[in-house]
Amino acid sequence: MKAPVLYIVIPCYNEEEALPITSEKLIALTDDMMKRNLIDVKSRVTLVDDGSRDRTWQVISDLCKRDKRFEGVKLAHNRGHQNALLAGLLTAVNDADMIVSMDADLQDDINAVDEMVDDYHKGYDVVYGVRSKRETDTFFKRFTAEGFYKVMKALGVDIVFNHADYRLMSRRAVEGLAQFTEVNLFLRGIVPQIGYKWTTVTYERAERFAGESKYPLKKMIAFAADGITSFSVKPIRLVFSTGVVVFIVSLIMLIYALVAKLAGHTSVGWTSLMGSIWLIGGIQLLGLGVVGEYIGKIYNETKRRPRFIIESVLNKADNE
């Protein structure tokens, strides 16, 4: 039986230090898999430059000249990790039987690709890479990351616990993903909605071997907010519920004030007055912020701007 064509899609942003090491590891991986007839010799690695400010595109260009298994995709502007990943998936989908997505730093164990491919042969369209433990993370990172997944589950979002964007998808799964046209991308939440047969493989995440993390705390918070507001309306319902509770409490306080006035106890404490003003004001601002987040997403969706624009492609199979 003919081996399937595997494409490995890697979004890259300022990864000139990591790519030389990453490319050598991927060459060794694909060579080994080709020798064992697990993947076809037409299998490739698609490197997507997400508007890097360093020499990332030059490194990708050199790799493409040196080895035809590398394919380069350069975005015209920095569009973020999720859009860059989607650009790579949609570029590769017509030439691949299956696509594995991973980060350029290879903190996700590439040896798990073998098991993912085995599961593909067993009939699975999506295979999620799931971290077995988080011992390499700081306490803060581990607490916030696991808390994020738990909050997403509590809000009713269909998401795989401790899964990032390390996954295998069959061609038809990626074609299904292409039908989701929203601008606010959160692929960890979108992919489970495709609905094809799926499974998981576990692995241990390593330390970054070169470069710096592209997800500082600020970006992590923004990413989490995008994920929550893109897949759940429960926060806005919570605002409504809070408003109802505050309204009921205010009615009770109004009745109490009237009774106190009729009883002749009209002295009102400054602390309770100021506390009430700050509490209600804070709840109002919080509610406006949550509602504004949803309105902002509606605004972005209605503009229908392109999620990415490809400036150039190197070593595209169809162009050879």
Side-chain angles (χ1 to χ4, degrees):
M1 184 177 69
K2 185 180 178 182
V5 176
L6 168 68
Y7 269 59
I8 299 175
V9 172
I10 302 179
C12 306
Y13 179 68
N14 294 344
E15 296 287 2
E16 66 170 320
E17 294 180 32
L19 279 178
I21 303 171
T22 297
S23 61
E24 291 301 318
K25 292 185 177 181
L26 292 174
I27 288 172
L29 173 70
T30 52
D31 277 345
D32 178 64
M33 296 182 74
M34 288 175 187
K35 288 177 183 177
R36 291 186 286 141
N37 200 37
L38 292 178
I39 60 175
D40 192 272
V41 293
K42 295 180 181 178
S43 298
R44 290 176 169 241
V45 177
T46 301
L47 302 171
V48 184
D49 180 16
D50 183 25
S52 298
R53 298 178 180 178
D54 61 1
R55 295 181 62 258
T56 294
W57 182 243
Q58 184 59 53
V59 174
I60 292 174
S61 300
D62 292 342
L63 285 171
C64 291
K65 291 176 183 177
R66 193 163 64 244
D67 193 324
K68 290 298 182 183
R69 86 186 71 189
F70 288 99
E71 176 180 289
V73 177
K74 180 176 175 60
L75 301 190
H77 190 268
N78 175 251
R79 297 296 297 160
H81 177 273
Q82 298 290 278
N83 286 295
L85 176 53
L86 182 66
L89 292 173
L90 298 186
T91 300
V93 64
N94 292 327
D95 304 311
D97 296 311
M98 53 185 174
I99 304 175
V100 170
S101 59
M102 62 177 67
D103 292 339
D105 55 22
L106 294 191
Q107 286 183 274
D108 300 319
D109 184 9
I110 62 173
N111 293 316
V113 174
D114 271 17
E115 192 173 346
M116 290 181 176
V117 173
D118 286 340
D119 286 330
Y120 169 82
H121 285 292
K122 293 176 183 177
Y124 292 99
D125 285 282
V126 182
V127 184
Y128 299 101
V130 176
R131 295 180 63 173
S132 57
K133 52 187 176 181
R134 286 183 170 269
E135 292 183 354
T136 57
D137 290 346
T138 62
F139 171 78
F140 177 77
K141 177 68 179 295
R142 182 168 59 253
F143 176 78
T144 53
E146 292 184 349
F148 166 72
Y149 287 105
K150 291 175 181 177
V151 168
M152 292 289 280
K153 282 287 188 182
L155 292 175
V157 181
D158 187 8
I159 190 170
V160 178
F161 189 77
N162 270 342
H163 163 70
D165 287 300
Y166 185 28
R167 69 178 75 88
L168 178 146
M169 299 178 69
S170 67
R171 177 188 291 184
R172 73 168 184 166
V174 177
E175 289 172 344
L177 175 63
Q179 297 179 46
F180 290 79
T181 59
E182 58 250 55
V183 174
N184 299 287
L185 283 178
F186 184 70
L187 295 178
R188 301 179 200 184
I190 295 176
V191 174
Q193 295 189 46
I194 297 172
Y196 292 130
K197 189 178 179 181
W198 63 274
T199 188
T200 63
V201 300
T202 57
Y203 67 94
E204 292 186 21
R205 189 171 171 86
E207 296 281 357
R208 172 179 266 270
F209 58 81
E212 298 178 353
S213 172
K214 305 306 182 294
Y215 266 94
L217 180 60
K218 182 179 178 180
K219 282 190 175 182
M220 286 173 59
I221 294 173
F223 186 65
D226 278 343
I228 292 171
T229 54
S230 293
F231 286 90
S232 178
V233 295
K234 286 189 177 181
I236 207 164
R237 288 175 180 168
L238 179 62
V239 170
F240 174 75
S241 300
T242 303
V244 171
V245 171
V246 171
F247 176 70
I248 292 173
V249 171
S250 66
L251 288 178
I252 295 172
M253 293 303 296
L254 177 61
I255 294 172
Y256 169 77
L258 290 173
V259 171
K261 181 176 179 63
L262 293 173
H265 304 293
T266 55
S267 299
V268 179
W270 180 85
T271 303
S272 60
L273 176 63
M274 293 302 294
S276 299
I277 292 173
W278 281 99
L279 175 63
I280 294 173
I283 291 173
Q284 288 175 332
L285 290 174
L286 175 63
L288 286 173
V290 173
V291 174
E293 184 72 21
Y294 281 93
I295 292 174
K297 280 187 163 45
I298 295 171
Y299 173 66
N300 286 331
E301 293 293 341
T302 55
K303 287 187 292 185
R304 309 307 302 163
R305 288 179 177 173
R307 292 174 290 186
F308 55 85
I309 296 175
I310 295 177
E311 180 177 326
S312 58
V313 178
L314 300 177
N315 279 1
K316 187 73 177 77
D318 290 343
N319 295 332
E320 292 184 350

